Amino acid sequence: MTISYMPKVADSHFGSFSKLLFRWKGSIYKLLYKEFIVFMVPYAALSLVYRRLLTKDQKRLYTKVAQYCNHSTDLIPMSFGPPTLSPGAGFYVTLIVNWWWAQYTSIPLPDQLMCIISSNVHSKDERGRILWHTLICYVNLSAVLILCSVSTRVLKRFPTMDHVVEAGFMTQDERKKFESLHSDFNKYWIPCVWFTNLAAQARRDGRVRDDVALCLLMDELNLYWAECSMLFHYDWISIPLVYTQVVTIAVYSFAFCLIGRQFLEPLEPGQEGDLDMYVPLSTLLQFFYAGWLKVAEQIINPFGEDDDDFETNKLIDRNLQVSLLSVDDMYQNLLPAGKDKYWNESPAQPSYTTATADETLKPSFLGSTFDMCMCEDPKQSQPTEAFPSSPCTHTPLLIRFLAAASPTVSLKNFGWGSRAHPHLRCPRADSSSSSPYCNGSEDPEAVVCIEEEMEDEESQAIEAPMPDGHLKAPQQPEASETRKEELLQIQVKAPASESISPDQQDAAGLP
């Protein structure tokens, strides 16, 4: 049976897991005590022979042999890490544990299928009850047949078909029909076929009301059938034997410690010897490495009679009892519906006991950003407004970068020349110029940048050759003036304190 200790570790407190070390049933001590005795008896015998019976020369030879064995033990990788670093005992055990749990999840359970039968096969007469029982018995019979093929406990319970008939999973007529079908392979699937034929007959008789209900019934049966088939294949295709042999040989190479971990006297008269430990504690602790292999040996086939093997007989009893209750006693067993306790309560709050009353004081988790404080400046929380009517100016990336970096940086600082149109120049010293494009709030360096860009664009437009070899005609003055106005709109402004006067705005034509 499965050894369950989950109630003992429901709460993790001091000593909760330490107490598990003293349990015997299902423990590592129960698995290893025989191997432990087999290891300790030869170890003690060799120790007595070395200490009492060997001569000095023989002890010298024995010392060399023991040192060789100890060195050989270190060369054999008995660690339990990834397979690239060791024979893979740890990886092997992980694979076996996954294999063990996958087999348990493949055990067929009729819970979903019995709900489908109860809700879609309708009849209140005796014929309908016989139909329910027959369908359920076919489902459970298929599980019994497959478990008899893979489980030692179930086979001991139902060694022959007579025992299956006596248990009520099969009638005599069904047994004759089952045995009349000859096949060289496992016939666990025959009751599933009987189920499909009986369900189709119930659809023709009107006990299954429509084809959708019949399709739902067949789909659920196919899932149940697939679990039976998967369980059969897990029993048929096992972990490769070579992998098991490699790990077993690597673990049992620990036998070199029988000689290599013995107490040895120093070879030279003045040489300091090791501490004489009559009981090799560290070696005995390492002996529990073999427990990894014993775990794999126990659960590689969980359908035996080990402590942690599956209780398949209990599963058979549970499945039959629950499935018959669901389709027999609970069919159309409806309770009167009425207003519940929380009909007029909003929100609903179930009651707590005194032992759990302190849980009501704990605040509910509403999200990691629920209590996060935003910026205290109210202006940062104001929504921004889009201005779709404003013109979108496209400027070269370098100009925008230089203008955003510093208002005093321009192409002139890089020695790219200072050519510009005379009517766009603004003398640096004369801040009171009457030019419509220059005023005290504008940066002359930014204006120079705009002038040079406009001059370059005009020269490129004039000198660009046409496909036929002629030079491109110069652009119209109107387009050039429009480009000037667009570029002037993006010039770098001075600080807010140096605002433009209304007269200057009117003179420059700025808004």
Side-chain angles (χ1 to χ4, degrees), residues 39 43 254 257-258 261 280-288:
F39 178 83
Y43 184 91
F254 191 76
C257 295
L258 287 173
R261 301 297 174 84
L281 296 179
S282 59
T283 303
L284 294 181
L285 290 177
Q286 290 180 345
F287 181 79
F288 284 96

Side-chain angles (χ1 to χ4, degrees), residues 459-471:
S459 61
Q460 292 176 3
I462 295 174
E463 298 175 1
M466 298 295 289
D468 54 357
H470 299 285
L471 294 178

